[in-house]
């Protein structure tokens, strides 16, 4: 079949890869000059989520007071009088209950296991170098933080996930970048978990797809999706030609592209397209932040990936750079898509800089740091949406969350099976858990 993938982030690129592997002809539409320029660019280093860093469950703030003040929780919550965001937050917090968390994590684990298999196949087949690093150390500032994570730790033990619970002194001995004076109750080491460079992975995968006849339409913005009985048509805006010699930049005419199926994988920008096509999902845009700084003193830089569990900030090494991600800003949908508020943006970036000072002081050159902020989608139950829609030729692959960009590979494999009509009965439980229809139950 001819399949259009809307979105050139890691979700869109991995979807294109899986569809091409399934034998389809694929075209990827991306509005930027290359892939992985928005949420994928700011993705944290963690490849796959664990019970300790999911964006639902016991380590998430449980009360409105915990999310009101960003410095204590790492989340900046500014709902104003918006009832939609307040309602979404209530649904999101409900997942913290131990029995609901265990059930949801069981479903997420199915996707994680599939993603681990898909990642391994891609890495071994193509010999990719994506700045990988093994070992993730979750740090707990206080005994209260450790107590709050008790059900997550019990779940790690139940599923026999390799991990070590460490005291404060053991954490400092294992990771010398942590100053002995930093308040620390303990940590949990996940030796088999990995971090890697998400945008680098997406760009290397794009090059492989270019060599395998996948078409990339860059600097192209989708205006609308028109679903028809015989197929799907995608309407594009006119493009500006920067190389026009006369009369300044000239607009190239927009075009319509027809295909047998369309996959919407454009992150937060998918919401408007899907709404126009008659599909509304309870996904909320959350503004995330990141700092990337060159390492100034190698001896002071962490060699493990560190996660400040209470503040939900990840510190990962990418060769000679250190990347800090987190500081989520939760506000109304309208404000999330508006120009960033300077005061709130600075508050979020200060949270990241403080985490660097707390866990690896003096390691990086902040005067050369690159700052980033962007919007990514979260679902109220913490699981992505990988699904067909009411129209049999329109599919979605969205909301993989801020933790574990490698989930995109497993989601893409599932999506390719849906498009091809070849999904196995063994995948029915997972497909049901990720279906858009789950929100109507």
């Amino acid at each position: 079949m001819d399949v259009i993938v809307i979105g050139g982030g890691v979700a869109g690129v991995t979807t294109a890869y899986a569809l091409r592997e399934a034998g389809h002809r694929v075209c990827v539409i991306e509005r930027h000059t290359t892939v992985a320029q928005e949420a994928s660019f700011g993705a944290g280093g963690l490849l796959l989520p664990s019970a300790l860093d999911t964006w639902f469950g016991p380590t998430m703030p449980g009360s409105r007071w915990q999310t009101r003040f960003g410095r204590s929780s790492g989340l900046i919550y500014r709902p104003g009088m918006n009832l939609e965001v307040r309602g979404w937050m209530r649904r999101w917090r409900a997942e913290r209950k131990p029995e609901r968390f265990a059930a949801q994590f069981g479903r997420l684990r199915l996707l994680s296991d599939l993603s681990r298999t898909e990642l391994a196949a891609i890495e071994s087949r193509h010999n990719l170098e994506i700045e990988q690093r093994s070992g993730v150390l979750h740090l707990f500032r206080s005994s209260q933080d450790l107590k709050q994570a008790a059900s997550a730790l019990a779940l790690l033990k139940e599923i026999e996930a390799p991990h070590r619970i460490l005291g404060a002194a053991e954490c400092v001995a294992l990771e010398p970048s942590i100053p002995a004076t930093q308040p620390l109750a303990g940590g949990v080491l996940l030796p088999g978990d990995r971090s890697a460079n998400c945008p680098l992975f997406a760009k290397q995968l794009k090059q492989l797809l270019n060599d395998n006849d996948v078409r990339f339409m860059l600097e192209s913005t989708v205006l609308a999706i028109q679903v028809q009985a015989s197929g799907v048509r995608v309407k594009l805006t006119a493009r500006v030609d920067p190389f026009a010699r006369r009369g300044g930049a000239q607009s190239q005419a927009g075009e319509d592209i027809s295909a047998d199926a369309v996959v919407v994988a454009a992150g937060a920008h998918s919401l408007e397209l899907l709404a126009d096509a008659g599909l509304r999902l309870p996904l909320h845009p959350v503004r995330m932040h990141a700092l990337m700084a060159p390492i100034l003193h190698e001896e002071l830089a962490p060699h493990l990936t560190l996660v400040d569990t209470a503040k939900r900030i990840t510190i990962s090494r990418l060769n000679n750079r250190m990347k800090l991600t987190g500081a989520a800003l939760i506000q109304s949908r309208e404000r999330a898509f508006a120009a960033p508020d300077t005061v709130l943006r600075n508050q979020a970036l200060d949270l990241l800089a403080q985490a660097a000072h707390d866990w690896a002081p003096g390691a990086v050159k902040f005067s050369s740091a690159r700052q980033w902020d962007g919007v990514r989608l979260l679902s109220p139950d913490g699981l992505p949406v990988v699904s067909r829609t009411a129209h049999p030729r329109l599919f979605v692959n969205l909301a993989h969350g801020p933790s574990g960009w490698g989930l995109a590979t497993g989601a893409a494999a599932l999506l390719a099976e849906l498009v091809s009509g070849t999904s196995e009965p063994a995948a029915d439980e997972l497909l049901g858990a990720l279906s858009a229809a789950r929100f109507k139950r």
Side-chain angles (χ1 to χ4, degrees):
M1 290 197 299
D2 292 331
V3 185
I4 294 172
V5 177
I6 301 175
V10 68
V13 174
T14 52
T15 297
Y17 179 88
L19 287 168
R20 185 67 188 89
E21 288 293 295
H24 301 290
R25 294 179 295 274
V26 184
C27 173
V28 179
I29 301 175
E30 167 56 43
R31 66 179 189 159
H32 290 283
T33 56
T34 188
V35 300
Q37 292 301 289
E38 294 195 41
S40 297
F41 184 85
L46 294 177
L47 267 176
L48 295 171
S50 73
L52 290 169
D53 51 51
T54 56
W55 278 70
F56 61 96
T59 61
M60 290 304 302
S63 71
R64 63 190 180 94
W65 301 108
Q66 284 179 283
T67 48
R68 190 167 184 175
F69 302 102
R71 293 197 175 276
S72 61
S73 70
L75 302 181
I76 305 171
Y77 182 42
R78 295 292 184 273
M81 300 301 292
N82 190 282
L83 297 179
E84 179 185 9
V85 67
R86 289 175 180 272
W88 185 89
M89 283 294 290
R90 282 193 296 271
R91 292 180 64 180
W92 190 42
R93 290 196 191 103
E95 302 300 330
R96 298 182 74 257
K97 297 177 181 178
E99 65 280 2
R100 293 181 67 165
F101 165 65
Q104 286 299 83
F105 185 75
R107 299 176 182 109
L108 183 65
R109 189 183 175 205
L110 292 175
L111 180 59
S112 292
D113 290 345
L114 175 60
S115 300
R116 187 175 290 106
T117 300
E118 294 297 324
L119 271 169
I122 293 172
E123 290 176 288
S124 62
R125 179 177 178 183
H126 302 294
N127 195 29
L128 301 183
E129 173 48 52
I130 52 175
E131 300 180 327
Q132 299 178 58
R133 189 170 292 267
S134 295
V136 177
L137 179 59
H138 290 262
L139 299 165
F140 296 86
R141 293 173 177 265
S142 69
S143 57
Q144 179 60 33
D145 294 335
L146 265 173
K147 182 179 179 181
Q148 185 171 302
S151 58
L153 294 173
L155 188 55
L156 287 176
K157 184 177 181 180
E158 180 183 331
I159 64 178
E160 299 182 346
H163 68 285
R164 287 169 52 198
I165 300 176
L166 308 174
E170 292 175 299
C171 290
V172 174
L174 181 66
E175 182 48 82
S177 73
I178 302 172
T181 55
Q182 169 63 27
L184 178 62
V188 179
L189 174 66
L190 304 176
D193 283 19
R194 296 188 296 159
S195 62
N197 188 328
C198 177
L200 180 60
F201 172 81
K203 289 175 182 177
Q204 291 187 12
L205 213 56
K206 174 187 178 293
Q207 185 57 54
L208 292 171
L209 293 172
N210 282 336
D211 296 340
N212 284 277
D213 300 322
V214 172
R215 181 187 180 195
F216 281 82
M217 294 187 65
L218 302 174
E219 298 182 87
S220 300
T221 301
V222 176
L223 270 181
I225 302 168
Q226 299 172 340
V227 290
Q228 303 166 341
S230 58
V232 186
R233 182 178 292 273
V234 171
K235 185 175 182 60
L236 302 179
T237 58
R239 290 190 292 170
V240 174
D241 182 0
F243 300 106
R245 297 187 176 221
R246 288 194 249 173
Q250 300 293 317
S251 292
Q252 299 178 349
E255 58 181 306
D256 291 356
I257 305 175
S258 297
D260 299 307
V262 169
V263 180
V264 180
H269 301 288
S270 304
L271 293 178
E272 186 176 357
L273 285 175
L274 292 172
D276 290 343
L279 178 62
R280 296 186 180 276
L281 298 171
L283 307 178
H284 195 74
V286 176
R287 186 166 290 276
M288 303 295 295
H289 299 80
L291 285 175
M292 177 87 81
I295 291 174
L296 187 61
H297 298 292
E298 178 65 33
E299 68 278 10
L300 300 178
H303 67 281
L304 296 169
T305 297
L306 304 179
V307 180
D308 186 328
T309 308
K311 297 194 175 183
R312 312 200 66 77
I313 293 173
T314 301
I315 304 173
S316 53
R317 282 283 301 270
L318 300 173
N319 286 349
N320 62 347
R321 305 168 325 279
M322 194 167 83
K323 188 173 188 179
L324 299 103
T325 53
L329 171 58
I330 302 175
Q331 53 190 343
S332 71
R333 184 174 298 199
E334 293 74 21
R335 290 184 177 179
F337 285 115
D341 180 286
T342 302
V343 173
L344 293 177
R345 185 175 188 271
N346 289 340
Q347 182 181 342
L349 294 173
D350 285 347
L351 281 169
L352 299 180
Q354 184 62 49
H357 176 75
D358 290 345
W359 305 116
V364 298
K365 186 178 181 182
F366 272 112
S367 61
S368 300
R370 182 173 182 179
Q371 302 175 350
W372 175 90
D373 65 276
V375 177
R376 62 171 61 245
L377 289 179
L378 274 177
S379 67
D381 60 11
L383 300 180
V385 183
V386 182
S387 177
R388 58 168 45 93
T389 68
H391 192 284
R393 298 179 183 273
L394 180 61
F395 301 82
V396 294
N397 186 2
L398 302 169
H400 301 98
S403 180
W405 60 261
L407 288 176
T409 57
L414 284 172
L415 202 288
E417 291 183 0
L418 280 177
V419 173
S420 305
T422 58
S423 57
E424 299 289 336
D428 287 349
E429 179 185 355
L430 180 53
L431 287 169
L434 305 182
S435 170
R438 73 185 190 262
F439 298 118
K440 299 178 182 178
R441 296 168 190 161

